Amino acid sequence: MLISAEIKGGNLSYELKIKILKKLKNIDYEVFIIVFDKLNRYKIGYEYDNKEVYDILASKLAELINIDKSTFIFIDRSKNKQEEIDNFNDIFLNSLNNIQKQPINI
């Protein structure tokens, strides 16, 4: 059995999903999502491999996020090697609008 800190919604009962959503409504948070069909990446000019496309698109999303307080960011990513994770974190953090230099934990 796979053990993970990540909750996969497709594996949860309807009742449990409702309980989670009710708890989340009392928390101050924002969700940002990119959905990208990897098979069509060439249509927008990305000739990179899927991991590089993911990094590029995530950094473009990060440009839209304004940080004005200490922030925790949870990212569902496809990285396995520590070097890839560190590189992604650097690119993502440097792309955020964090003018006040607030603390960020990824």
Side-chain angles (χ1 to χ4, degrees):
M1 179 162 93
L2 180 64
I3 297 174
S4 173
E6 181 178 4
I7 298 171
K8 294 289 192 181
N11 298 333
L12 301 177
S13 69
Y14 175 79
E15 292 78 17
L16 188 53
K17 289 176 190 176
I18 295 301
K19 285 181 183 180
I20 291 170
L21 291 172
K22 285 180 179 179
K23 296 243 183 221
L24 287 174
K25 76 177 186 178
N26 298 319
I27 299 172
D28 181 25
Y29 68 94
E30 292 181 272
V31 176
F32 298 86
I33 299 171
I34 293 177
V35 177
F36 182 67
D37 182 353
K38 296 173 193 171
L39 296 176
N40 292 314
R41 70 176 184 252
Y42 68 91
K43 291 181 181 178
I44 60 170
Y46 288 117
E47 300 300 328
Y48 308 101
D49 69 30
N50 288 337
K51 289 182 181 182
E52 288 176 291
V53 171
Y54 184 94
D55 291 355
I56 292 166
L57 292 176
S59 68
K60 295 296 183 191
L61 175 64
E63 291 173 4
L64 303 174
I65 301 172
N66 295 314
I67 305 295
D68 59 2
K69 61 186 172 190
S70 179
T71 302
F72 286 90
I73 298 176
F74 299 91
I75 300 173
D76 184 11
R77 64 178 127 222
S78 61
K79 312 296 183 208
N80 297 320
K81 298 177 184 172
Q82 190 61 48
E83 181 181 345
E84 291 175 343
I85 292 169
D86 292 341
N87 184 52
F88 174 88
N89 288 351
D90 288 342
I91 292 169
F92 191 85
L93 286 171
N94 289 326
S95 298
L96 290 167
N97 288 316
N98 188 11
I99 296 169
Q100 300 172 1
K101 304 294 184 202
Q102 296 291 334
I104 299 172
N105 291 305
I106 293 183

